[in-house]
Amino acid sequence: MKLIMAVIQDKDSNRLSDALVKADYRATKLASTGGFLKAGNTTFLIGTEDENMEEVMSIIKENCQSRDQLVAPISPMGGNADSYVPYPVEVQVGGATVFVLPVEQFEQF
Ligand code: 2BA
Ligand code: 2BA
């Protein structure tokens, strides 16, 4: 068994959970925050058997898209003025950042 941890954009989270339920996969959604943008994102935990990995990965790929996002300039107040960027910078936020972990034990009580 594997545990898939997928960090995705909030905009894709309903679509992904609907697709997972439709394909009969179980998942847990956690509200999370990106360390860089400091904006909300969604982390999915999906526990599933090894043989389903490929299908789950393609469901994630199909339902999550990458987007460009503007990062607002950070005020130099109290910080280092040398690193101050006075204009918004665009970064590409990926559709999904996925980690796969082996599951040692799975119980439901
Ligand atoms: P349980 O199987 O006891 O699961 C309770 C909660 O535990 C789930 O909430 C989910 O957040 C998490 N969970 C369970 N299995 C998981 C896994 N393999 N990976 C990640 N998280 C897992 P919900 O998703 O709201 O489900 C509530 C109850 O609805 C479930 O109780 C189950 O009896 C039923 N259920 C969930 N998904 C289903 C599906 N695709 N088809 C039929 N029944 C489903
Ligand atoms: P954030 O940390 O808010 O990052 C959003 C996007 O900003 C990233 O997209 C990347 O394009 C850019 N970025 C992040 N850190 C950067 C840095 N130090 N310098 C320059 N640009 C940077 P993604 O790479 O697609 O990541 C989307 C979200 O996935 C991240 O949101 C974070 O929550 C999570 N993530 C990505 N890589 C991770 C990792 N190795 N471990 C844990 N979480 C990760």
Side-chain angles (χ1 to χ4, degrees), residues 7-8 32-39 41 91-97 99:
V7 184
I8 69 149
S32 44
T33 306
F36 186 69
L37 292 178
K38 298 179 180 68
N41 54 27
V91 291
Q92 192 184 54
V93 186
T97 297
F99 303 90

Side-chain angles (χ1 to χ4, degrees), residues 1-104:
M1 193 180 194
K2 296 278 195 290
L3 179 69
I4 301 166
M5 290 179 69
V7 184
I8 69 149
Q9 296 180 41
D10 288 346
K11 283 177 187 158
D12 296 320
S13 90
N14 279 339
R15 215 176 123 186
L16 179 60
S17 43
D18 290 350
L20 288 169
V21 170
K22 203 170 155 205
D24 208 18
Y25 288 109
R26 311 217 160 178
T28 298
K29 254 165 69 171
L30 307 175
S32 44
T33 306
F36 186 69
L37 292 178
K38 298 179 180 68
N41 54 27
T42 303
T43 301
F44 273 76
L45 303 181
I46 309 159
T48 192
E49 298 304 328
D50 291 23
E51 62 262 30
N52 299 328
M53 285 297 301
E54 224 171 290
E55 191 185 3
V56 175
M57 288 296 187
S58 56
I59 293 173
I60 295 172
K61 238 188 215 171
E62 278 162 24
N63 290 283
C64 302
Q65 64 181 91
S66 68
R67 296 179 183 88
D68 292 330
Q69 201 159 313
L70 283 177
V71 185
I74 302 154
S75 158
M77 291 288 287
N80 182 359
D82 295 340
S83 61
Y84 175 57
V85 186
Y87 46 85
V89 197
E90 203 167 59
V91 291
Q92 192 184 54
V93 186
T97 297
V98 184
F99 303 90
V100 180
L101 291 79
V103 174
E104 202 164 293

